[in-house]
Amino acid sequence: MVAVGATALYVGVTGDGPDVVVLTGGPGCVQYLERDDIAPLNHRTWYPEPRGVGRSSGGPHTMEEAIADLEAIRKAVGVGAWIVVGHSWGCDLGVRYAVEHPEAVVAVIGIAGRGPQRDRTWSEAYEAGKSIEPVVEIDWVPEVHAALSDSFTDWIHRPNLWRQLADCSVPMHFIAAGDDIRPSWPVEQLAALVARGRFSTVHGVPHDFWSTHPEVWTETVTNACIAS
């Protein structure tokens, strides 16, 4: 447990090697990626649980507070800089983290992310595909989800957003799940925008392939961490 003011944040850790922090989706989901069998091999991996969720105390909060929590955790555990692996919403949070704290982020590996947009055609495609997406049960806190979603909207409406993204020198590798119902074009655009961006696709896997194809997930994350 890491104390951030009056809030106690749960952080799991496993393995040895270069440091990696893993951010889960939602927003507002429990730390569903904290599993030794899908951790990147030969790395020391940290698994924070968001404030107000699961084993962490606190409640609804903003993206600014979420990033401040990551920085507090990093300093508390003595990590100089780490690779940020973000799944789904965690990809979006990881990108903002890198933009605002580039000295703390070795690289961002964003898997099945959405990208900083609220596009109607994207949402229509997502809604149309919900009935065919594999169901993976994940606990989440609606109040935390709502607060972070509102904060995300505020962030993507900032007039200097694209300038900050284009100026960010942190390497970013965006990885799409080939069978994801979420269109990948926003993160493809993001990969083309940032100075050291890269985009690739893992074919034949759905959004939550950490659950449905754990061996593929482990190989994908491990290779991306090594390449970074």
Side-chain angles (χ1 to χ4, degrees):
M1 304 300 289
V2 173
V4 181
T7 301
L9 301 177
Y10 172 85
V11 188
V13 61
T14 189
D16 292 296
D19 287 291
V20 178
V21 61
V22 175
L23 310 180
T24 51
C29 286
V30 298
Q31 178 49 270
Y32 54 79
L33 294 173
E34 187 189 359
R35 286 173 35 185
D36 285 350
D37 62 314
I38 59 173
L41 303 176
N42 302 314
H43 289 75
R44 182 169 64 166
T45 308
W46 302 88
Y47 299 94
E49 196 147 55
R51 64 169 56 216
V53 177
R55 295 156 287 188
S56 292
S57 65
H61 57 284
T62 64
M63 289 184 80
E64 290 89 344
E65 291 173 297
I67 291 170
D69 286 345
L70 292 175
E71 277 294 271
I73 291 168
R74 181 183 66 81
K75 293 171 183 177
V77 299
V79 172
W82 46 17
I83 300 167
V84 178
V85 173
H87 175 246
S88 193
W89 151 262
C91 170
D92 303 321
L93 182 61
V95 168
R96 180 168 176 178
Y97 184 23
V99 168
E100 298 182 2
H101 294 278
E103 75 288 347
V105 180
V106 175
V108 173
I109 299 166
I111 305 176
R114 178 176 61 186
Q117 50 75 34
R118 292 283 194 190
D119 179 81
R120 182 176 298 174
T121 62
W122 189 98
S123 297
E124 288 172 351
Y126 169 64
E127 293 296 331
K130 277 187 174 181
S131 63
I132 62 172
E133 185 172 46
V135 176
V136 177
E137 296 293 341
I138 301 171
D139 289 336
W140 62 293
V141 179
E143 295 81 6
V144 174
H145 175 92
L148 286 169
S149 293
D150 289 344
S151 180
F152 172 81
T153 300
D154 291 341
W155 176 55
I156 64 174
H157 287 170
R158 290 185 175 182
N160 64 343
L161 171 67
W162 301 107
R163 180 74 272 157
Q164 289 183 327
L165 290 169
D167 288 343
C168 184
S169 62
V170 175
M172 299 188 190
H173 183 185
F174 300 99
I175 304 173
D179 291 345
D180 200 338
I181 65 172
R182 299 154 185 79
S184 64
W185 60 261
V187 288
E188 292 185 65
Q189 290 180 330
L190 193 53
L193 173 67
V194 298
R196 302 170 69 187
R198 179 187 173 198
F199 176 81
S200 63
T201 301
V202 180
H203 297 285
V205 297
H207 183 73
D208 289 309
F209 69 100
W210 58 271
S211 177
T212 61
H213 298 72
E215 299 87 357
V216 178
W217 172 273
T218 304
E219 180 181 12
T220 299
V221 174
T222 298
N223 290 343
C225 286
I226 292 171
S228 70

